[in-house]
Amino acid sequence: KHSDYSAITSPRVALIYQPNESAALKAMVGSAYRAPNAYERFYDDGGVLQKANPALLPERIRSVELAADFQVGQAGRFGVNIYNNDVRDLIDQVLDPADGLMLYSNQPHVQTHGIEFTADRRWDGGSRVRGSLSRQRSSAADGSELGNSPQWLGKLMLGLPMVAGWTLGAEWQGMSERRSLAGRVPGFGVLNVMLTSGRLLGAGELALGVYNV
């Protein structure tokens, strides 16, 4: 319950079926909501770029998911997830043509559907590779493409034990092009690398990272 809005229930139900030790099938239905934060409702820069919208309402979502998870060999896993999300009153930043200022507003109806593939593999020495790839489409009530919503998302993570208890980790994230208020934004990929020590004199760990490579 939010002090500025009426109480909202968010039920969720899941049915899980495991035909054998190597497979699990899931069906899930649920709902959730998010109240607007103070910045979205009240920020006003005095008519320069953005104005407030105190009448902003919470956004609500109803989701349906079908998922399957499979064990591959002794240390591998593969999963697939198909989903459909129905969003009401989505909070989105838009341009008011009357004065040219940005504000956060509720979109009446947005629908998202897609599919996600995940895979995970571990080795006895402690090495691990994990990745995911998703394809989704989000559309507004008139069928137009939703802004800042790429159709492709990918992630690949690697963990590799080193000498003296150190671990090398790398994470690559990528997304396809998407529409923004300023036009089409090209897709991109980002690589982050992290070197983490083991326990140092029982007092903690040391981590060295390089981001946005």
Side-chain angles (χ1 to χ4, degrees):
K1 187 177 185 303
H2 194 284
S3 59
D4 290 344
Y5 305 101
S6 59
I8 301 175
T9 58
S10 300
R12 184 174 178 85
V13 178
L15 176 64
I16 302 175
Y17 173 60
Q18 191 168 4
N20 54 59
E21 294 182 354
S22 301
L25 307 177
K26 306 174 185 178
M28 296 159 282
V29 179
S31 64
Y33 86 101
R34 183 183 76 86
N37 58 46
Y39 176 82
E40 292 168 335
R41 292 181 66 191
F42 303 117
Y43 180 73
D44 189 317
D45 61 8
V48 179
L49 292 174
Q50 182 173 322
K51 62 181 179 180
N53 184 8
L56 204 59
L57 299 174
E59 58 185 16
R60 311 185 187 201
I61 180 172
R62 292 181 180 177
S63 62
V64 177
E65 300 179 47
L66 298 175
D69 188 52
F70 305 96
Q71 182 173 333
V72 181
Q74 295 297 317
R77 300 201 72 86
F78 173 77
V80 59
N81 186 345
I82 301 173
Y83 58 89
N84 183 83
N85 298 325
D86 191 79
V87 188
R88 302 285 178 174
D89 297 324
L90 175 71
I91 299 173
D92 191 23
Q93 191 175 39
V94 299
L95 178 69
D96 188 346
D99 53 20
L101 294 177
M102 306 293 296
L103 79 159
Y104 285 92
S105 177
N106 292 111
Q107 302 299 311
H109 182 206
V110 171
Q111 190 169 51
T112 298
H113 57 271
I115 184 170
E116 180 181 29
F117 300 95
T118 59
D120 191 347
R121 178 70 164 88
R122 298 172 182 264
W123 285 267
D124 293 337
S127 300
R128 182 182 184 184
V129 174
R130 182 173 56 179
S132 65
L133 178 65
S134 61
R135 171 72 162 84
Q136 63 94 32
R137 173 172 169 75
S138 299
S139 56
D142 59 1
S144 62
E145 178 186 2
L146 192 67
N148 290 317
S149 182
Q151 295 190 8
W152 290 96
L153 293 169
K155 181 182 291 187
L156 182 64
M157 290 168 284
L158 169 68
L160 183 64
M162 308 294 285
V163 298
W166 287 81
T167 301
L168 176 66
E171 177 188 66
W172 178 86
Q173 300 182 50
M175 67 173 63
S176 62
E177 68 170 6
R178 63 195 189 279
R179 183 181 64 82
S180 72
L181 293 174
R184 303 298 299 184
V185 178
F188 68 92
V190 172
L191 177 64
N192 302 319
V193 180
M194 178 76 71
L195 188 62
T196 307
S197 72
R199 300 287 292 182
L200 298 176
L201 302 177
E205 299 177 344
L206 177 65
L208 305 173
V210 180
Y211 300 93
N212 299 329
V213 177

